[in-house]
Amino acid sequence: MKGRQKYLINSKGIIRRREILEAAKKCLIDKGLNGLILRELGKELNITHGNVAYYFPTKNALIKAIFDEAVQKYTEGILSAVRKSSSLEDALSSLIEESFSVNEKKERVLWLILIGSASNNPDFSDILKRENSFYEVSLVKEIKLLAPHLDEARINYIAKIVRTLLDGMAIELIYEKPSST
């Protein structure tokens, strides 16, 4: 294995990558996008800028990794709630209720940063599109399990409606102050 792939099989590398991600996420939440500076992040972790760059060659690569993880966590939480439902109606209710819980978490700031920056930064726009696509595909899979009698077009339509509804809720978050939790 070469270069950056090597760290994936090295437990020390996995730990270091996790430390960088956590410190960067905290920095984004506390200081915003402009406050995330890779050199300063390295200093905070007592590692070199080169070490940070080994795992994340650019700030955008680091931000992409943060959002990959955030959407995975968000999607798993929502899908877990949906899987406990016995009907499509219960699943949609659970999905919306679980989505509201994001409003109460500090990680909400991460989404505000991404949504607020996407219109000015093509990389962030691409991240948002990719994350939405991943989320919608996950919804389709769950709806198929809950309502196997529905045809593919209707399932895709329902997933798109739910994702659009949740996107609208996310945009509304921009206008509210994050809670102190």
Side-chain angles (χ1 to χ4, degrees), residues 15-83:
I15 292 168
R16 175 64 74 205
R17 186 177 192 278
R18 165 87 1 245
E19 290 170 345
I20 295 168
L21 278 171
E22 289 303 317
K25 186 164 59 169
K26 182 181 182 324
C27 184
L28 275 175
I29 290 170
D30 294 345
K31 298 178 184 177
L33 189 59
N34 292 332
L36 179 61
I37 300 167
L38 298 186
R39 285 191 192 285
E40 290 181 15
L41 191 63
K43 285 180 186 176
E44 180 184 324
L45 293 169
N46 294 316
I47 60 176
T48 66
H49 177 259
N51 200 292
V52 174
Y54 175 79
Y55 295 97
F56 305 101
T58 66
K59 183 176 177 176
N60 282 356
L62 177 56
I63 291 169
K64 178 186 174 296
I66 290 169
F67 283 102
D68 282 347
E69 184 178 275
V71 81
Q72 185 74 31
K73 183 178 173 185
Y74 176 72
T75 302
E76 286 172 5
I78 286 179
L79 296 181
S80 174
V82 168
R83 287 181 187 127

Side-chain angles (χ1 to χ4, degrees), residues 20-172:
I20 295 168
L21 278 171
E22 289 303 317
K25 186 164 59 169
K26 182 181 182 324
C27 184
L28 275 175
I29 290 170
D30 294 345
K31 298 178 184 177
L33 189 59
N34 292 332
L36 179 61
I37 300 167
L38 298 186
R39 285 191 192 285
E40 290 181 15
L41 191 63
K43 285 180 186 176
E44 180 184 324
L45 293 169
N46 294 316
I47 60 176
T48 66
H49 177 259
N51 200 292
V52 174
Y54 175 79
Y55 295 97
F56 305 101
T58 66
K59 183 176 177 176
N60 282 356
L62 177 56
I63 291 169
K64 178 186 174 296
I66 290 169
F67 283 102
D68 282 347
E69 184 178 275
V71 81
Q72 185 74 31
K73 183 178 173 185
Y74 176 72
T75 302
E76 286 172 5
I78 286 179
L79 296 181
S80 174
V82 168
R83 287 181 187 127
K84 295 175 186 170
S85 304
S86 58
S87 70
L88 184 58
E89 291 81 12
D90 288 344
L92 293 174
S93 177
S94 295
L95 187 132
I96 291 168
E97 195 62 39
E98 183 66 24
S99 295
F100 277 122
S101 74
V102 170
N103 191 30
E104 303 301 320
K105 297 177 183 174
K106 281 186 174 182
E107 285 82 9
R108 169 182 173 210
V109 173
L110 296 173
W111 295 105
L112 295 176
I113 290 169
L114 183 64
I115 292 166
S117 302
S119 64
N120 299 323
N121 184 322
D123 290 337
F124 292 178
S125 179
D126 289 344
I127 291 169
L128 196 56
K129 288 175 192 171
R130 189 174 41 82
E131 303 303 353
N132 275 331
S133 177
F134 172 78
Y135 180 64
E136 196 168 311
V137 166
S138 298
L139 283 173
V140 166
K141 289 177 186 175
E142 292 306 312
I143 294 169
K144 282 181 182 179
L145 292 174
L146 287 166
H149 61 282
L150 296 176
D151 64 55
E152 189 81 19
R154 183 162 301 259
I155 289 171
N156 287 321
Y157 186 69
I158 291 169
K160 190 168 287 304
I161 288 172
V162 170
R163 186 190 54 78
T164 303
L165 174 68
L166 297 178
D167 281 353
M169 289 170 42
I171 291 169
E172 284 293 318

